[in-house]
Amino acid sequence: MKKIGKQTIKTASMVNILSSSSIVGKKEGEGPLKNYFDTILEDAQWNEKTWEKTESKMQTQSLSLAVEKASCAMSDIDYLFAGDLLNQCISSGFAHRESNIPYLGIYGACSTFGEGLGLAAVMIDGGFANKCAVVTSSHFCTAERQYRMPLEYGGQRTPTAQWTVTGSGAAIISNSNKPPFIKYVTFGKIVDMGIKDANNMGAAMAPAAAQTLKAHFEDTNTVPSDYDLIISGDLGTLGKEIVTDLMNGYGYDMTKNYDDCGCMIFDIDNQDVHAGGSGCGCSTTVFCGYIMEMLKRGDLNKVLFMPTGALLSPTSNMQGETIPSVAHAVAISNIDV
Amino acid sequence: MKKIGKQTIKTASMVNILSSSSIVGKKEGEGPLKNYFDTILEDAQWNEKTWEKTESKMQTQSLSLAVEKASCAMSDIDYLFAGDLLNQCISSGFAHRESNIPYLGIYGACSTFGEGLGLAAVMIDGGFANKCAVVTSSHFCTAERQYRMPLEYGGQRTPTAQWTVTGSGAAIISNSNKPPFIKYVTFGKIVDMGIKDANNMGAAMAPAAAQTLKAHFEDTNTVPSDYDLIISGDLGTLGKEIVTDLMNGYGYDMTKNYDDCGCMIFDIDNQDVHAGGSGCGCSTTVFCGYIMEMLKRGDLNKVLFMPTGALLSPTSNMQGETIPSVAHAVAISNIDV
């Protein structure tokens, strides 16, 4: 069995991230990580008639770019894992109509990229594929009108609200000996602590993140200091604090090397994003852009990457439901031991 | 490599379907397959305040029942694959809040159960898990109000329209030597032939179904007559005809042993369902109820089960988009060779 402990998979062979690509919107391209993205859009449209088409185009292009960077052809990709936040995951479905790759749609809200990396690693390590692609996206304008208000309405946002990242990233997972390698995947359980405020998703997702982290450390017999960086998906400033507190309660010190993609992608103090970035595109582009570059340079060698997802919908919210959440952790290392 | 041909995975070890369960609504419980379902609901509510809660409850209960029939505990399930048709897959997310099983959300519209069976087989065959669960659902009332019209409006339906099945099914996939076994999984590509009529989804999905079938037969070097039954998900009467025609064009005779879950679950002539049943729950309950019983009895020994999905949304439809579709085929046999 390649499962260790209760929730974790340990890869037995070399499973590597061969390449990655990232495309972000204008606002993300003005943030602290602007130098790490492959493409920065000049506006929200990208010459498309609808924002939904723009989001799909971002996925198509990020996949093409990752394939190009992997020096392979689209036909070399055995399986494609893709997902997004739109109803019925249309950004993904429409993006890959022409790709001609067997398609596996996944949905984990903003945790989708972590789920995809994990399942791709399973496919490669199990000997079912030589190359898999993982792609996700989100777009501020498609998310706002679907989840919240028409943009034209100009509604005020609460201090705990987060800003959906416009961005898409793709990664090619393979079985070659080029670092970085995926060593462990801890698939998360659904945790719901009863938070009902859809404008405070960091707080809703934090307990799921802490559950996954605790399971990961227990299953792999590690502690936070075994990593150069532990990075959650899009908890934002408030959710990050809660995770740090919860983990402290479990006896783990997260104060030294823990950050959150939602806190990193924007200049929180000056870009008017309130509690930080969110959306599938947030953790995906921070990982595919910044983290992958740091791993490549050797500035980071061991990273625990954990996208987080809030599994609510506007319907569930209007029906007074709480917010179930999930987080998947992927341990990535430059050293294959 | 356990991948054969272009799109197909061949299991190398024993991967079996240990148990399955099915829950359906009142109308489905009056159809031709009524004797094969575990539970038939008396109304659309099942004592819940909203139809969304009813749908979630169906998933929770069908999972419990499948676990019970497998004579194992919920804690024995390593990973759970779940999905449904509602925005952000809330039926699944909310259903499994208490399950305490690592959760992998999947989205393939009505092909979801096929995708789940395939990924669960990969997990088991790759040695990553001993037991996985796959659960999906759909509900006529939640689907109508999300995809089409408020039920109270009483809108007329076109002759090609299908009736969303109220139902949920679950299967436990394991590595024991008890038949039936999952032998091959052919993961489908997205195919979009330009159909725009959301009331004619059978026609939209048929080319994707034919693409997957053709790939399956080529990859495994088989022909339709190698199976006792080939059964598609929810193409309905029209889609089934188109698949038969398309396959005939490819040189495959589908007239002898091919049927469609959407044509079987209702009495098409007398239950006012127009072109047949649809929804994740359609192929799932027909498989978990009827097909599994036929396999158990030995009335069927080799089945090619292929759920089909239309990856549209009301938004994409209103924006004038076509309907991308996908189909995943799972070859199941009572004989482990």
Side-chain angles (χ1 to χ4, degrees), chain B residues 40-337:
Chain B
I40 295 171
L41 305 186
E42 285 174 19
D43 58 30
Q45 296 287 142
W46 208 7
N47 301 317
E48 293 294 327
K49 271 191 180 170
T50 69
W51 294 316
E52 286 74 15
K53 280 182 196 281
T54 310
E55 189 177 335
S56 270
K57 186 176 172 180
M58 289 197 299
Q59 279 210 25
T60 310
Q61 296 291 319
S62 64
L63 175 59
S64 291
L65 187 55
V67 166
E68 194 187 310
K69 285 174 151 190
S71 303
C72 66
M74 205 65 95
S75 56
D76 293 327
I77 309 297
D78 295 302
Y79 296 101
L80 166 63
F81 292 91
D84 61 273
L85 295 172
L86 294 192
N87 298 342
Q88 287 71 58
C89 302
I90 51 167
S91 311
S92 309
F94 284 85
H96 307 297
R97 280 186 284 189
E98 317 284 330
S99 73
N100 209 27
I101 306 171
Y103 177 86
L104 293 152
I106 51 178
Y107 185 76
C110 308
S111 74
T112 300
F113 197 70
E115 181 181 341
L117 285 181
L119 287 172
V122 160
M123 277 277 192
I124 301 287
D125 195 50
F128 301 99
N130 286 318
K131 285 188 180 65
C132 286
V134 185
V135 195
T136 79
S137 65
S138 55
H139 190 301
F140 177 76
C141 303
T142 63
E144 282 300 303
R145 74 168 161 201
Q146 178 183 283
Y147 285 103
R148 286 166 280 262
M149 297 289 178
L151 282 178
E152 296 81 353
Y153 178 70
Q156 291 294 303
R157 304 165 65 243
T158 67
T160 54
Q162 292 173 240
W163 188 279
T164 305
V165 163
T166 298
S168 171
I172 309 298
I173 315 305
S174 181
N175 49 11
S176 79
N177 61 359
K178 184 189 162 206
F181 303 99
I182 296 178
K183 308 302 296 173
Y184 298 98
V185 181
T186 303
F187 288 115
K189 298 173 179 181
I190 297 180
V191 176
D192 185 339
M193 298 300 281
I195 300 259
K196 288 187 178 188
D197 181 0
N199 289 307
N200 191 2
M201 291 207 278
M205 295 189 287
Q211 197 283 327
T212 298
L213 280 176
K214 183 169 177 280
H216 178 81
F217 294 133
E218 288 174 359
D219 289 349
T220 60
N221 200 19
T222 55
V223 291
S225 59
D226 286 320
Y227 289 96
D228 298 333
L229 178 68
I230 298 164
I231 184 160
S232 52
D234 55 350
L235 297 174
T237 51
L238 188 59
K240 185 183 159 187
E241 256 184 66
I242 300 172
V243 164
T244 308
D245 282 355
L246 287 172
M247 291 305 288
N248 187 45
Y250 296 145
Y252 295 99
D253 178 10
M254 299 286 288
T255 60
K256 303 284 191 298
N257 56 347
Y258 166 52
D259 213 331
D260 179 76
C261 298
C263 299
M264 294 167 69
I265 194 164
F266 293 119
D267 178 343
I268 304 276
D269 294 331
N270 299 303
Q271 283 192 294
D272 191 31
V273 294
H274 297 210
S278 67
C280 289
C282 179
S283 58
T284 305
T285 58
V286 170
F287 180 81
C288 291
Y290 175 71
I291 303 287
M292 277 295 285
E293 179 61 26
M294 291 297 108
L295 284 161
K296 216 182 290 173
R297 290 186 193 168
D299 289 347
L300 292 173
N301 287 303
K302 288 189 79 178
V303 174
L304 187 62
F305 171 58
M306 180 183 57
T308 44
L311 304 171
L312 82 168
S313 82
T315 302
S316 71
N317 197 44
M318 286 189 288
Q319 290 180 353
E321 287 279 12
T322 53
I323 305 177
S325 300
V326 71
H328 304 294
V330 183
I332 296 152
S333 170
N334 272 336
I335 308 124
D336 180 45
V337 282

